[in-house]
PDB file of all heavy atoms in Angstrom:
ATOM      1  N   GLN H 305      -4.766  16.797 -30.590  1.00 98.00           N
ATOM      2  CA  GLN H 305      -4.940  17.778 -29.458  1.00 98.00           C
ATOM      3  C   GLN H 305      -3.700  17.665 -28.547  1.00 98.00           C
ATOM      4  O   GLN H 305      -3.070  16.599 -28.414  1.00 98.00           O
ATOM      5  CB  GLN H 305      -6.256  17.439 -28.648  1.00 98.00           C
ATOM      6  CG  GLN H 305      -6.352  16.111 -28.202  1.00 98.00           C
ATOM      7  CD  GLN H 305      -6.993  15.132 -29.186  1.00 98.00           C
ATOM      8  OE1 GLN H 305      -7.637  15.422 -30.086  1.00 98.00           O
ATOM      9  NE2 GLN H 305      -6.548  13.832 -28.988  1.00 98.00           N
ATOM     10  N   VAL H 306      -3.479  18.650 -27.881  1.00 98.00           N
ATOM     11  CA  VAL H 306      -2.364  18.781 -26.880  1.00 98.00           C
ATOM     12  C   VAL H 306      -3.075  18.403 -25.434  1.00 98.00           C
ATOM     13  O   VAL H 306      -4.163  18.816 -25.348  1.00 98.00           O
ATOM     14  CB  VAL H 306      -1.724  20.110 -26.732  1.00 98.00           C
ATOM     15  CG1 VAL H 306      -0.726  20.071 -25.591  1.00 98.00           C
ATOM     16  CG2 VAL H 306      -1.213  20.405 -28.075  1.00 98.00           C
ATOM     17  N   ALA H 307      -2.494  17.530 -24.792  1.00 97.00           N
ATOM     18  CA  ALA H 307      -3.054  17.072 -23.515  1.00 97.00           C
ATOM     19  C   ALA H 307      -2.961  18.212 -22.498  1.00 97.00           C
ATOM     20  O   ALA H 307      -2.246  19.194 -22.775  1.00 97.00           O
ATOM     21  CB  ALA H 307      -2.217  16.016 -22.871  1.00 97.00           C
ATOM     22  N   SER H 308      -3.863  18.297 -21.545  1.00 94.00           N
ATOM     23  CA  SER H 308      -3.859  19.195 -20.464  1.00 94.00           C
ATOM     24  C   SER H 308      -2.527  18.833 -19.662  1.00 94.00           C
ATOM     25  O   SER H 308      -2.244  17.727 -19.457  1.00 94.00           O
ATOM     26  CB  SER H 308      -5.010  18.928 -19.540  1.00 94.00           C
ATOM     27  OG  SER H 308      -5.067  19.807 -18.369  1.00 94.00           O
ATOM     28  N   GLU H 309      -1.838  19.997 -19.190  1.00 95.00           N
ATOM     29  CA  GLU H 309      -0.708  19.870 -18.557  1.00 95.00           C
ATOM     30  C   GLU H 309       0.367  18.945 -19.247  1.00 95.00           C
ATOM     31  O   GLU H 309       0.789  17.965 -18.587  1.00 95.00           O
ATOM     32  CB  GLU H 309      -0.754  19.475 -17.160  1.00 95.00           C
ATOM     33  CG  GLU H 309      -1.754  20.334 -16.359  1.00 95.00           C
ATOM     34  CD  GLU H 309      -2.015  19.705 -14.933  1.00 95.00           C
ATOM     35  OE1 GLU H 309      -1.115  20.136 -14.041  1.00 95.00           O
ATOM     36  OE2 GLU H 309      -2.855  19.060 -14.694  1.00 95.00           O
ATOM     37  N   PRO H 310       0.669  19.195 -20.615  1.00 97.00           N
ATOM     38  CA  PRO H 310       1.421  18.329 -21.340  1.00 97.00           C
ATOM     39  C   PRO H 310       2.876  17.970 -20.726  1.00 97.00           C
ATOM     40  O   PRO H 310       3.099  16.872 -20.728  1.00 97.00           O
ATOM     41  CB  PRO H 310       1.582  18.903 -22.701  1.00 97.00           C
ATOM     42  CG  PRO H 310       1.364  20.468 -22.360  1.00 97.00           C
ATOM     43  CD  PRO H 310       0.222  20.425 -21.282  1.00 97.00           C
ATOM     44  N   ARG H 311       3.424  18.984 -20.003  1.00 96.00           N
ATOM     45  CA  ARG H 311       4.811  18.694 -19.590  1.00 96.00           C
ATOM     46  C   ARG H 311       4.791  17.840 -18.284  1.00 96.00           C
ATOM     47  O   ARG H 311       5.905  17.238 -17.951  1.00 96.00           O
ATOM     48  CB  ARG H 311       5.532  19.988 -19.370  1.00 96.00           C
ATOM     49  CG  ARG H 311       5.044  20.886 -18.212  1.00 96.00           C
ATOM     50  CD  ARG H 311       5.897  22.044 -18.032  1.00 96.00           C
ATOM     51  NE  ARG H 311       5.497  22.936 -16.974  1.00 96.00           N
ATOM     52  CZ  ARG H 311       6.287  23.821 -16.297  1.00 96.00           C
ATOM     53  NH1 ARG H 311       7.536  23.979 -16.653  1.00 96.00           N
ATOM     54  NH2 ARG H 311       5.841  24.462 -15.260  1.00 96.00           N
ATOM     55  N   ASP H 312       3.704  17.616 -17.689  1.00 97.00           N
ATOM     56  CA  ASP H 312       3.556  16.940 -16.464  1.00 97.00           C
ATOM     57  C   ASP H 312       2.842  15.575 -16.772  1.00 97.00           C
ATOM     58  O   ASP H 312       2.665  14.833 -15.676  1.00 97.00           O
ATOM     59  CB  ASP H 312       2.846  17.627 -15.318  1.00 97.00           C
ATOM     60  CG  ASP H 312       3.671  18.694 -14.846  1.00 97.00           C
ATOM     61  OD1 ASP H 312       4.906  18.671 -14.896  1.00 97.00           O
ATOM     62  OD2 ASP H 312       3.198  19.669 -14.194  1.00 97.00           O
ATOM     63  N   CYS H 313       2.570  15.175 -18.005  1.00 98.00           N
ATOM     64  CA  CYS H 313       1.769  13.886 -18.132  1.00 98.00           C
ATOM     65  C   CYS H 313       2.553  12.783 -17.616  1.00 98.00           C
ATOM     66  O   CYS H 313       1.911  11.800 -17.065  1.00 98.00           O
ATOM     67  CB  CYS H 313       1.403  13.795 -19.604  1.00 98.00           C
ATOM     68  SG  CYS H 313       0.037  14.875 -20.209  1.00 98.00           S
ATOM     69  N   VAL H 314       3.713  12.685 -17.975  1.00 98.00           N
ATOM     70  CA  VAL H 314       4.500  11.494 -17.547  1.00 98.00           C
ATOM     71  C   VAL H 314       4.595  11.289 -15.968  1.00 98.00           C
ATOM     72  O   VAL H 314       4.227  10.228 -15.432  1.00 98.00           O
ATOM     73  CB  VAL H 314       6.015  11.514 -18.135  1.00 98.00           C
ATOM     74  CG1 VAL H 314       6.761  10.391 -17.431  1.00 98.00           C
ATOM     75  CG2 VAL H 314       6.041  11.311 -19.672  1.00 98.00           C
ATOM     76  N   VAL H 315       4.864  12.383 -15.296  1.00 98.00           N
ATOM     77  CA  VAL H 315       4.935  12.199 -13.834  1.00 98.00           C
ATOM     78  C   VAL H 315       3.502  11.981 -13.267  1.00 98.00           C
ATOM     79  O   VAL H 315       3.322  11.305 -12.228  1.00 98.00           O
ATOM     80  CB  VAL H 315       5.665  13.469 -13.236  1.00 98.00           C
ATOM     81  CG1 VAL H 315       4.691  14.698 -13.043  1.00 98.00           C
ATOM     82  CG2 VAL H 315       6.187  13.152 -11.865  1.00 98.00           C
ATOM     83  N   LEU H 316       2.422  12.472 -13.941  1.00 98.00           N
ATOM     84  CA  LEU H 316       1.163  12.315 -13.427  1.00 98.00           C
ATOM     85  C   LEU H 316       0.702  10.891 -13.691  1.00 98.00           C
ATOM     86  O   LEU H 316      -0.082  10.315 -12.907  1.00 98.00           O
ATOM     87  CB  LEU H 316       0.087  13.337 -14.240  1.00 98.00           C
ATOM     88  CG  LEU H 316       0.333  14.669 -13.656  1.00 98.00           C
ATOM     89  CD1 LEU H 316      -0.610  15.673 -14.402  1.00 98.00           C
ATOM     90  CD2 LEU H 316       0.156  14.989 -12.188  1.00 98.00           C
ATOM     91  N   GLY H 317       1.235  10.269 -14.753  1.00 97.00           N
ATOM     92  CA  GLY H 317       0.995   8.853 -15.102  1.00 97.00           C
ATOM     93  C   GLY H 317       1.560   7.929 -13.994  1.00 97.00           C
ATOM     94  O   GLY H 317       1.081   7.089 -13.489  1.00 97.00           O
ATOM     95  N   CYS H 318       2.792   8.434 -13.482  1.00 97.00           N
ATOM     96  CA  CYS H 318       3.464   7.656 -12.492  1.00 97.00           C
ATOM     97  C   CYS H 318       2.621   7.792 -11.155  1.00 97.00           C
ATOM     98  O   CYS H 318       2.453   6.815 -10.381  1.00 97.00           O
ATOM     99  CB  CYS H 318       4.861   8.336 -12.191  1.00 97.00           C
ATOM    100  SG  CYS H 318       6.048   7.918 -13.544  1.00 97.00           S
TER     101      CYS H 318
END
Side-chain angles (χ1 to χ4, degrees):
Q305 56 279 327
V306 179
S308 175
E309 301 180 88
R311 67 176 184 162
D312 286 340
C313 281
V314 170
V315 78
L316 292 176
C318 292

